[in-house]
Amino acid sequence: MQPGSGSVGRRSGTFIEAARRAQIIEAAIVAVNEHGYAGASLSVIAARAETSKSVISYHFDGKEELLAQVVEQVYGEVGELIIAAVDAADSWPGKLEAYVRAELGYVRDHRERILAANEIVISHRDADGTPLYLQGGGEETALLENLLQRGRRAKVFAPLDVKITAVTIVHAIDGAITEAQRDPGLDLDRYGDRLVPLLLRAVGAT
């Protein structure tokens, strides 16, 4: 399942249709958080959206496409937030900090959305049994790798292995998301206050 596939183009031509799609996506987020990936059936999502399965089927080619759209929308929101934050920072250490804090900030402000998207990414498998999180081509670390590479070239960061460092940082942020799921009261701003200096030391920021 690839986010963005299916019948999006031919069924989102009017404002009313777009609003209905958005309503269904929001209902799917709630359903996944309440019932898990397996339990979030079209019937459950329809009930949450106060509509019918036939209406959902008009807008989406089944549960898989609907949940793919949840992932695409949520991760798209995260990506836009990160890019804006990184672009606004004026140093390479500042850009790395902005990257981390932007993602943690999204988790802080939109906890239910990111938890639902992650549940889908972890749980869905394609026809060959490949999990959704293994189907990408490394796009999730591309911005971070570019940031690290340019900081290294500027001799602001140590001569590190860009790929390994990017993956490590991504997993460090994922760890914060896991902790937020385990502890709904987790202070993610304070978490960032402790994580950012650790990561800056790891990359040898000057």
Side-chain angles (χ1 to χ4, degrees), residues 3-200:
S5 63
S7 57
V8 176
R10 71 175 183 271
R11 295 181 183 168
S12 57
T14 70
F15 174 81
I16 293 175
E17 288 175 336
R20 175 63 78 177
R21 287 176 60 84
Q23 177 191 17
I24 294 169
I25 286 173
E26 294 304 315
I29 289 171
V30 174
V32 168
N33 283 326
E34 289 183 347
H35 302 280
Y37 176 85
S41 65
L42 287 184
S43 295
V44 169
I45 295 170
R48 172 59 64 174
E50 298 183 345
T51 189
S52 66
K53 288 173 60 177
S54 62
V55 170
I56 295 179
S57 296
Y58 172 78
H59 291 282
F60 301 93
D61 288 334
K63 172 181 171 176
E64 290 190 356
E65 193 213 348
L66 169 55
L67 296 188
Q69 287 298 301
V70 170
V71 173
E72 183 172 289
Q73 180 166 314
V74 172
Y75 284 10
E77 291 168 357
V78 176
E80 290 176 4
L81 190 66
I82 289 174
I83 290 171
V86 169
D87 286 346
D90 58 6
S91 69
W92 295 114
K95 288 180 182 294
L96 179 56
E97 177 172 359
Y99 183 105
V100 175
R101 290 192 182 276
E103 187 159 358
L104 292 181
Y106 185 93
V107 178
R108 178 197 64 215
D109 297 336
H110 306 284
R111 181 176 178 274
E112 299 304 317
R113 299 176 74 77
I114 198 70
L115 293 183
N118 285 356
E119 167 77 9
I120 296 165
V121 167
I122 292 170
S123 302
H124 177 81
R125 293 177 180 267
D126 64 14
D128 296 325
T130 303
L132 184 58
Y133 66 86
L134 293 179
Q135 295 177 27
E139 298 89 349
E140 69 278 5
T141 62
L143 173 62
L144 188 52
E145 288 181 40
N146 180 62
L147 189 163
L148 293 169
Q149 183 67 52
R150 295 177 69 183
R152 189 177 73 168
R153 288 175 180 171
K155 300 188 185 305
V156 176
F157 297 155
L160 42 81
D161 184 302
V162 168
K163 180 66 175 180
I164 292 176
T165 306
V167 170
T168 301
I169 293 172
V170 167
H171 283 300
I173 298 172
D174 287 345
I177 298 173
T178 300
E179 290 303 308
Q181 187 172 17
R182 180 179 294 114
D183 176 11
L186 180 66
D187 186 338
L188 284 166
D189 292 327
R190 187 179 182 187
Y191 197 104
D193 290 342
R194 297 181 177 184
L195 178 61
V196 167
L198 186 155
L199 295 178
L200 290 176

